[in-house]
Every structure is written in C-alpha cells, then in structure tokens.
Amino acid sequence: MSNSETIAGAGARPGPDPTPAGPCAMVIFGAGGDLTKRLVIPALYNLMTGKLLPERFALVGVDIADLSTEQWRQRLTDMMLSFTHGGGEFQTDSIDQAAWKSLLARMTYMRGDFGDDATFARLADLLADKERADGTGGNVLFYLAVADRFFGPVAEKIAAAGLADQQDGKRWRRVIVEKPFGHDYASAKALNARLLNILSEDQIYRIDHFLGKETVQSILAVRFANGMFEPIWNRDHIDHVQITAAETIGVERRGRFYEQTGALRDMVPNHVFQLLTMTAMEPPSSFDPDAVRSRKSDILNAIPPVPLDCAVRGQYGSGTILGERVDGYRREPDVSATSPVETFVALKLEVDTWRWAGVPFFLRTGKRLGKRWTEIAIHFRHAPLSLFKGTDVAAMGSNWLILQIQPDEGISLQFQVKRPGQAVALTPIKMKFEYKDWFPPRPNVGYETLLYDCMMGDASLFQRADMVEAGWRIVQPVLDAWKAQEPSDFPNYDAGTSGPAAADRLIAGSGGWRRIGEQA
Ligand code: BG6
C-alpha cells in the first residue's frame, strides 16, 4: 500500500481521509469507572487532537458518585496528567492543552442511579438542553461502560424514557455495549433478545476491543488488497494455523470477576475468534458492514462445537516473569485457594468450509505466560518433494507467514535459503515488515476507531447478534464439561512459561507450537 492510499477506520474500508463525525452527544454510563478513565476519555482526547470529534459535541458522564461537573473534569485532568508520567495504556509525554480544554468544556457530569427512572427523566432533559445549546442535532451515543448485569436494565430504561427513539434521517440513537456479552450461549441469546426487544440491530454496537487494534484491521487489507496471498490461502497450501494471545499480567485486581469468568470465556469467543474470523473469512462482496460481518459469521457457523479432547485448560502457579517472582493464581486477591478456574486455554478447531476442510486451527491464550505476545501464524505445507535428498540437508524447514499483532506490529515471512558455501545447506531466514519502520506512531489506546465508527454509523468493527451467539455455541460443550468436572492437576503451569504440557500434546501432530515471543 502506498502512503497515499488511505484506509479510514471502518474495518479497513477504503476511503478518503476521515473527516470529523457529525454532531452528537455521547453519554457514558459508568463515568467514574476504570474503563472510562483508562480508555474512553483518552480515546476521545486522541480523536479531539486528530480533529475527528464532531465540532458540535457534548459529553455527559453518568454515575452514582456525588460529584460536580467541575470535580469530574478535575479527576479526569489529573488522570490525563498521570499518563504523562508513564501510567496506563495511554503513553504520552505531554497533553495538548488546547485540545484537552476543548474536550473538558464539552463535559457535564450527572449524578444518577442506573436503577432509578428519575435518572433517565433528568437525562432526557439534559440531552434536550444540549441539543439546544450545543447543536448536537438530537443524535446520541450511549456508552454502557458498566458491569454486564446492568446492560439489559440500563438499555431498557433508556428506551422507556424515549431516549432510544430515532427519527429516520433526522436523528439517530445508538448504544455501545461492552464486553462480556453474556457468559455462555444461553445468556448471550437472552441478552440479545432483551436488547432487540427495545432497540433495532443497527442501534446496537457490541464492542470487541481487539477489532480496534490497527493490526487486526489490517489483516483484511493484507489478504484482500494483494494478489499474492489469496491464491495460496487455503487447504491446498496451508498445513495449519496457530493463534496465540499470550499475556504476562495475572488477574491484577480483577480476581472476583475472573473467578466467575476464566480464560475461555474472557478471551476466546470474543477476541481470539475475531482473529480467527479475520484470518479465515471469505472475501466480502464489499466493505459494507453487513457484507463483512456476514462473511465472518459464515466462518463461525462452519466451526463445529469443540469436543472435549480438543480443549486444554491450565492454571498458573508461582514463577518468575521478566526477572520478577510472582504468586500463583490461587494466591491472587479475591481468588479461592482451591480455585478450579482456568487462566490458560488451548483449543484445536476445525473450520468446515471448502477452503479450510482438514486444516486445524490451534488457539491458545493465557495469563502469566513468559511474554506478552499476540500473533497469527500460518504454517504452509512443505514443498512436495525434496530435491535435496542425498545432500547433507537433514530436513526441510517450514514456511511461516506471521501476522504479529502485539506488542510489535508487523508481518514476517519465513522461508529457506541456501547457506553460502560449497555444501548445499538450507537455512530458514525471515523477511520482516514492521509498522513502526514505515509509519509514524500515532497515539492510540485502541478505542478511537471504534468510537469514531459508531458516531459515523459504521458497524463493521462491531459484533452482530448472530456472531456473538455463534461464538458461544462453539465453546459451550467445553464450558459445560469443565464446569461438571473440576481439574485435578491445577496449578499445572509455572508463571513465566508457555503453559501446561497438555497444550503441547494437543499440537504435537502438527509439529508443535511456535515459541512464545519467537521473533517473527
Ligand atoms: C480483556 C480481558 O477483554 O482483554 C482481559 O478481559 C485481557 O483479561 C484483555 O487482559 C487483553 O487485551 P489487550 O488489548 O491488553 O491484549
């Protein structure tokens, strides 16, 4: 891609340089929460500095704490300043004062109990004021940055107060729903039904923040904007695919949440399946949001529920990560000393389509692994014959295409060359592209594109109801079986390693996992 061909958010939808979104108000439920502070506000600030926020914009924060607008603004200012000292996802040396002040000026705090109808009546009045005073056009984006048990109730109260009513072509009302969207197939289906009872599908924006990552969006560009990958992107040429999302962090202060969740629920039907569908989907007929999402949905629908012998769970014990001793999961705050909850999961999946039949997809994700590392590794089949028999070439190496998602973002290709010298000796080498070598880093916490797209009414990077349900359906048998039978061997991997030995056995027939952190 030349620098002049712009890809403007929207799941790699080609287009001109993005322009500011149209007038709107944004209401954050959970304005005092961690998500708002760490991600939503910094993302809005980045949109402001990038001149992508609407010129006519109002931001309303709603939460239970008794704060004034001034106090809320001050807290957020303190938080932004803390980022200049190296805290949080938002890494920056300094804050653009003009942009920050301009964002602050648009902020209003409203104290309110999410369970109380009066909160929503007051909110309706406030939004009407904003429409008059700030020219928001009556468009409102509601962001549910609240615990998942509030998703249904808050959405219902929004609707009951008439706040979800749209007027065709005149004003829109949209609701962003955070993760987790349900905790199994039945609850996701029930939540969808509940929301779809009061909102239409095109008003619901189910977030999966992995889709906000630049490199995840660029998978489609790599696959479909180049002529050379698609012809070999199939069962004739690909032996298997490995997707790894490894973290070094433990459960931090989220022990209570994690005890109810575990690695499978927390990461797989959402984030890891996004990586999988981007890798496996057929080309969409256009970049229309529904065309893209339908092709992803096709993939999820083609994956049979995972049989138990294709799933491995693990839980970390104590160990050393990056030179530091860390406790095992069972000693984390708010975690039971006999917890059966998994902090690692590996799965082997099939994708029953013409393109992928017989190509295993191996997925693994875990906490407290040796390195923070997310990649999609495509392992190509060996050359059909070795012309090198009878030489001292012991074994033909493998061809890998690695899509590196984080921490470094890039793509690399591994193939064989002849080592210089008289003997014919093959050696694998790597050809590597790194984003940072080609594009100046942009401040980005990962929510910018998602918020902007939602303001623009582009749902390409959001989950549709059927996709969420299909994701849960695939993992449901494993959730059920693991619940019914507690593990007897936990903890079964040391912090700082690459997970339990059983995960290695799962993939042994395909040659083993790539080493976590193996430079692409
Ligand atoms: C969240 C999970 O959705 O994603 C966390 O709840 C996990 O447990 C996080 O750590 C990983 O996201 P990222 O962007 O840090 O890779």
Side-chain angles (χ1 to χ4, degrees):
M1 185 178 81
S2 86
N3 285 341
S4 61
E5 286 171 77
T6 312
I7 301 273
R13 174 192 290 226
D17 275 340
T19 51
C24 69
M26 174 168 165
V27 178
I28 308 178
F29 291 95
D34 226 36
L35 178 73
T36 302
K37 287 191 270 186
R38 285 189 307 112
L39 296 165
V40 181
I41 297 292
L44 289 171
Y45 163 79
N46 283 337
L47 287 174
M48 179 63 99
T49 56
K51 305 206 176 349
L52 293 174
L53 270 194
E55 275 148 26
R56 281 169 288 147
F57 180 64
L59 180 62
V60 177
V62 185
D63 217 326
I64 190 76
D66 200 2
L67 292 181
S68 66
T69 291
E70 263 327 301
Q71 286 169 317
W72 189 48
R73 290 178 179 173
Q74 189 55 49
R75 285 190 183 187
L76 295 176
T77 303
D78 294 345
M79 170 212 67
M80 288 296 284
L81 287 174
S82 77
F83 292 146
T84 60
H85 305 125
E89 281 80 355
F90 183 57
Q91 309 283 331
T92 186
D93 296 335
S94 62
I95 302 293
D96 174 339
Q97 289 300 331
W100 178 241
K101 281 200 176 124
S102 169
L103 186 58
L104 279 183
R106 290 165 160 86
M107 292 181 186
T108 308
Y109 182 81
M110 196 190 102
R111 188 198 168 274
D113 180 338
F114 304 150
D116 185 356
D117 291 339
T119 302
F120 295 81
R122 281 190 294 123
L123 181 60
D125 291 342
L126 182 58
L127 288 171
D129 283 352
K130 295 286 164 203
E131 185 176 345
R132 274 191 300 274
D134 299 331
T136 56
N139 302 318
V140 187
L141 161 55
F142 296 98
Y143 197 123
L144 307 189
V146 292
D148 59 331
R149 65 179 184 282
F150 292 118
F151 293 163
V154 173
E156 278 165 359
K157 293 224 179 295
I158 291 172
L163 293 173
D165 298 345
Q166 311 202 85
Q167 287 164 8
D168 264 356
K170 282 210 183 126
R171 69 170 209 203
W172 52 259
R173 298 291 163 105
R174 297 177 188 138
V175 179
I176 294 189
V177 186
E178 261 297 333
K179 177 179 165 272
F181 198 96
H183 51 91
D184 58 12
Y185 177 64
S187 57
K189 217 169 150 49
L191 181 55
N192 272 330
R194 197 166 172 181
L195 295 180
L196 287 166
N197 198 26
I198 46 169
L199 301 166
S200 59
E201 176 63 38
D202 64 7
Q203 291 181 282
I204 308 171
Y205 287 68
R206 300 172 191 78
I207 275 206
D208 185 311
H209 81 275
F210 263 47
L211 288 175
K213 294 181 192 291
E214 196 70 46
T215 15
V216 175
Q217 293 164 30
S218 79
I219 297 171
L220 295 194
V222 168
R223 285 191 55 200
F224 301 137
N226 296 295
M228 66 186 192
F229 294 121
E230 274 313 288
I232 55 167
W233 207 262
N234 57 48
R235 64 194 304 277
D236 295 335
H237 299 278
I238 293 178
D239 178 75
H240 73 273
V241 177
Q242 298 186 12
I243 299 181
T244 298
E247 299 186 273
T248 50
I249 55 169
V251 291
E252 300 183 301
R253 289 168 294 134
R254 301 162 73 218
R256 198 161 295 138
F257 160 80
Y258 208 81
E259 281 283 89
Q260 303 300 318
T261 310
L264 177 54
R265 281 193 172 85
D266 190 33
M267 293 291 288
V268 176
N270 31 63
H271 306 327
V272 179
F273 281 2
Q274 291 302 335
L275 302 181
L276 188 156
T277 51
M278 289 287 217
T279 309
M281 68 189 272
E282 293 298 321
S285 54
S286 73
F287 277 105
D288 173 77
D290 268 323
V292 175
R293 297 191 299 174
S294 295
R295 294 294 76 78
K296 290 184 176 182
S297 186
D298 291 346
I299 292 297
L300 294 171
N301 285 319
I303 301 176
V306 186
L308 198 55
D309 61 351
C310 290
V312 170
R313 58 182 154 170
Q315 186 193 76
Y316 61 85
S318 58
T320 304
I321 297 190
L322 308 170
E324 200 182 307
R325 279 304 288 174
V326 296
D327 279 338
Y329 175 68
R330 290 178 173 180
R331 300 196 55 183
E332 299 276 15
D334 299 320
V335 169
S336 151
T338 55
S339 174
V341 169
E342 81 285 355
T343 58
F344 174 100
V345 53
L347 302 177
K348 178 182 176 187
L349 301 182
E350 289 166 28
V351 180
D352 281 344
T353 62
W354 194 275
R355 186 193 284 258
W356 294 115
V359 179
F361 281 70
F362 296 95
L363 319 178
R364 66 179 160 163
T365 180
K367 298 218 177 271
R368 287 290 194 221
L369 298 175
K371 190 150 187 178
R372 177 166 182 252
W373 198 258
T374 304
E375 69 170 27
I376 300 165
I378 319 282
H379 185 236
F380 289 92
R381 289 188 188 285
H382 282 289
L385 79 166
S386 173
L387 292 174
F388 302 95
K389 277 181 200 143
T391 70
D392 57 358
V393 178
M396 301 276 286
S398 311
N399 293 155
W400 290 95
L401 179 72
I402 314 296
L403 306 174
Q404 176 77 47
I405 310 292
Q406 55 190 22
D408 303 319
E409 306 180 325
I411 299 172
S412 83
L413 186 63
Q414 179 176 304
F415 52 93
Q416 311 298 315
V417 296
K418 177 184 165 296
R419 189 188 289 278
Q422 281 65 42
V424 179
L426 297 182
T427 190
I429 57 96
K430 290 162 185 169
M431 225 161 71
K432 190 167 177 184
F433 149 71
E434 285 198 66
Y435 274 86
K436 63 176 173 350
D437 295 340
W438 285 77
F439 307 105
R442 285 190 312 155
N444 191 355
V445 293
Y447 275 63
E448 290 80 355
T449 307
L450 299 174
L451 292 175
Y452 175 77
D453 281 3
C454 184
M455 290 175 191
M456 299 294 282
D458 186 328
S460 308
L461 294 177
F462 293 84
Q463 296 252 65
R464 217 169 50 188
D466 57 322
M467 296 164 69
V468 175
E469 290 176 21
W472 283 114
R473 181 191 52 74
I474 295 166
V475 299
Q476 191 63 48
V478 180
L479 290 173
D480 292 341
W482 285 357
K483 186 170 170 212
Q485 190 167 15
E486 296 208 342
S488 54
D489 61 345
F490 277 9
N492 60 355
Y493 70 98
D494 289 345
T497 63
S498 56
D504 298 334
R505 291 194 287 276
L506 184 72
I507 200 175
S510 292
W513 295 104
R514 282 168 47 80
R515 197 164 48 77
I516 292 177
E518 180 167 341
Q519 275 306 324

